[in-house]
């Protein structure tokens, strides 16, 4: 293999590859080919790999949930969507029948991640912001002819179901 990055050359001797933005295009594509073909079993990479490259993996280890933000000059948390995206690399259905994700966090964040990962995350409705448009369309279409029809229409929406469970979210 012809590689420029000396650290990459060194780690490949042990069956481990590294993947980061500092690699040139040739080194990066070589690492990707080696990993996807199964010729290397361990790939150490930055969080950006989770976005944009569909690498199947049996095991994903997220070593820390913070990154250094140059603008603020301090470490900040990854958005939870980024952590989920990283974890989602494990056990891709088209490549594997199971996957394992391990997230290592400092003690103060452990409860947050446990709660987030093991308890269902509610999905809320956004109908409230555009309800007037939908009601007007149903009136114009003839589905709603009077107040009772409007009430019945609303009771069949996801918005209505979530409103009963979480009224504070909707400020009603």
């Amino acid at each position: 293999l012809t590689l420029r990055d000396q650290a990459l050359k060194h780690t490949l001797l042990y069956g481990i590859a590294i993947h980061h933005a500092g690699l040139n295009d040739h080194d990066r594509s070589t690492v990707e080919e080696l990993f996807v073909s199964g010729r290397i079993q361990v790939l150490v990479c930055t969080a950006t790999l989770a976005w944009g490259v569909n690498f199947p993996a049996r095991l994903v280890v997220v070593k820390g949930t913070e990154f250094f933000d140059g603008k603020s000059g301090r470490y900040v948390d990854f958005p939870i969507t980024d952590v989920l995206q990283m974890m989602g690399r494990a056990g891709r259905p088209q490549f594997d029948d199971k996957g394992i994700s391990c997230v290592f966090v400092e003690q103060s964040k452990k409860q947050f991640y446990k709660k987030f990962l093991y308890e269902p995350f509610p999905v809320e409705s956004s109908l409230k912001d555009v309800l007037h448009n939908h009601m007007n369309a149903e009136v114009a279409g003839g589905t709603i002819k009077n107040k009772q029809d409007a009430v019945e229409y609303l009771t069949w929406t996801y918005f209505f179901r979530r409103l009963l469970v979480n009224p504070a979210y909707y400020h009603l």
Side-chain angles (χ1 to χ4, degrees):
L1 290 173
T2 310
L3 299 169
R4 281 200 174 145
D5 190 278
Q6 295 303 312
L8 176 58
K9 282 182 183 178
H10 178 74
T11 59
L12 280 174
L13 294 173
Y14 301 95
I16 299 170
I18 55 177
H19 189 288
H20 56 82
L23 293 178
N24 67 40
D25 290 340
H26 175 267
D27 287 2
R28 189 177 304 116
S29 63
T30 300
V31 166
E32 292 170 5
E33 287 173 30
L34 290 170
F35 186 74
V36 170
S37 69
R39 297 194 319 223
I40 55 171
Q41 298 292 308
V42 177
L43 178 60
V44 178
C45 58
T46 58
T48 56
L49 186 64
W51 296 99
V53 181
N54 191 17
F55 279 169
R58 168 74 52 103
L59 170 66
V60 170
V61 178
V62 178
K63 189 185 153 290
T65 57
E66 297 179 332
F67 68 97
F68 186 78
D69 180 19
K71 288 182 182 176
S72 64
R74 63 186 179 90
Y75 283 91
V76 296
D77 291 320
F78 278 116
I80 195 69
T81 52
D82 286 11
V83 176
L84 289 172
Q85 187 72 15
M86 290 181 243
M87 293 172 60
R89 296 291 141 201
R92 305 294 283 199
Q94 64 270 40
F95 300 108
D96 210 339
D97 60 345
K98 63 178 95 170
I100 301 166
S101 292
C102 300
V103 180
F104 293 98
V105 296
E106 60 185 60
Q107 190 64 34
S108 64
K109 295 178 182 172
K110 190 173 180 179
Q111 274 312 113
F112 168 78
Y113 278 95
K114 276 179 133 177
K115 182 176 174 53
F116 185 81
L117 295 174
Y118 293 114
E119 293 182 17
F121 192 68
V123 175
E124 298 298 344
S125 172
S126 57
L127 181 61
K128 178 184 165 218
D129 300 331
V130 292
L131 182 59
H132 60 285
N133 292 332
H134 289 271
M135 292 298 256
N136 284 334
E138 295 302 331
V139 168
T143 304
I144 297 176
K145 297 180 183 81
N146 53 49
K147 287 181 190 177
Q148 185 59 37
D149 288 345
V151 170
E152 287 177 16
Y153 173 83
L154 279 174
T155 62
W156 284 96
T157 65
Y158 183 68
F159 168 64
F160 178 77
R161 298 191 184 274
R162 290 304 304 161
L163 180 61
L164 294 178
V165 175
N166 191 8
Y169 178 84
Y170 299 100
H171 308 292
L172 295 175

